[in-house]
Amino acid sequence: VNIKGDLVEGKTISADTSNLPSDIRGLKFKWYVNNVEVAGSNNKNFTLTKNHIGKKVKVKVTAENYVGSIFSEEFLIKTLRKPTIYGAKNITLKVGDSFSSLKGISATDALNKDITSKIKVSGKVDTSKSGIYKLTYKVSDSYGNTTTVTRNITVNPKNVVGVKATSNGYNSIKVTWNKSYNINGYEVY
């Protein structure tokens, strides 16, 4: 006995008895999930639900004119739902702020199992320089489903204090500030 169909939640699978002897009559079916009989599962077809994800399914077939029963192989039920990454929102920092690419970031699979430790981050943020930095977060679950999320980290220059503007006449201005602030990225118009 084989099982036919996609072994994925939401799909209906069926017991394939085409390889049994042709004189078999009165087939009866019982479906098992993780070796526990599923109540009311006494026909050739079986619909997989979210509750079956990550569990093994098999079918037992008996015939009225044969003694004994035949079990199919066990198969693992999968999901096509992708994992979810939380907290990967665009943020704005100032030059010199501390930043950790994984702070506040988490991930779960379709069964809400924590898979945060599987998150891979690509891209870098240099908080010593103003600019817009792109980080990409990627996580895969144990069923091979992958989610990718991109976020922007904007690093703005620090607020300038101690700015001094002087004018020597019409259309003339001189702007100065204390160099100890190590400020980059400002333009004067």
Side-chain angles (χ1 to χ4, degrees):
V1 176
N2 294 312
I3 294 178
K4 278 181 146 178
D6 292 330
L7 295 163
V8 176
E9 68 166 311
K11 300 289 184 175
T12 299
I13 56 177
S14 62
D16 176 9
T17 57
S18 62
N19 60 345
L20 296 178
S22 59
D23 65 338
I24 284 190
R25 293 185 318 270
L27 292 177
K28 294 182 182 177
F29 304 90
K30 290 192 186 276
W31 290 89
Y32 292 78
V33 175
N34 279 0
N35 290 318
V36 175
E37 183 180 337
V38 178
S41 64
N42 53 4
N43 63 40
K44 188 175 186 171
N45 298 321
F46 184 70
T47 300
L48 303 170
T49 68
K50 178 181 177 180
N51 296 332
H52 299 126
I53 298 170
K55 298 177 181 172
K56 293 184 177 182
V57 65
K58 66 181 177 182
V59 64
K60 175 182 168 184
V61 179
T62 57
E64 65 184 38
N65 62 333
Y66 276 81
V67 176
S69 59
I70 301 170
F71 275 98
S72 69
E73 287 185 56
E74 283 189 318
F75 294 95
L76 182 66
I77 306 307
K78 299 179 181 181
T79 183
L80 297 178
R81 288 186 284 154
K82 294 182 175 188
T84 303
I85 297 174
Y86 301 96
K89 299 187 181 340
N90 296 339
I91 62 170
T92 301
L93 306 170
K94 291 185 179 178
V95 169
D97 286 353
S98 63
F99 175 74
S100 170
S101 61
L102 287 171
K103 182 178 181 185
I105 307 295
S106 62
T108 58
D109 66 11
L111 297 175
N112 288 323
K113 180 182 170 194
D114 185 356
I115 56 172
T116 303
S117 63
K118 295 183 177 185
I119 296 174
K120 305 289 184 217
V121 183
S122 59
K124 293 185 179 184
V125 175
D126 182 354
T127 60
S128 71
K129 297 179 184 173
S130 61
I132 299 174
Y133 301 90
K134 185 181 286 192
L135 294 178
T136 301
Y137 297 79
K138 183 176 181 179
V139 68
S140 298
D141 64 18
S142 57
Y143 307 107
N145 302 309
T146 300
T147 295
T148 303
V149 174
T150 300
R151 77 192 283 211
N152 290 326
I153 310 301
T154 303
V155 179
N156 285 332
K158 282 187 177 181
N159 291 335
V160 179
V161 292
V163 175
K164 181 180 177 184
T166 57
S167 175
N168 293 333
Y170 184 71
N171 285 340
S172 169
I173 190 167
K174 179 180 178 183
V175 179
T176 59
W177 59 82
N178 185 334
K179 278 193 160 198
S180 66
Y181 289 103
N182 193 23
I183 298 169
N184 297 317
Y186 284 96
E187 294 181 19
V188 177
Y189 297 96

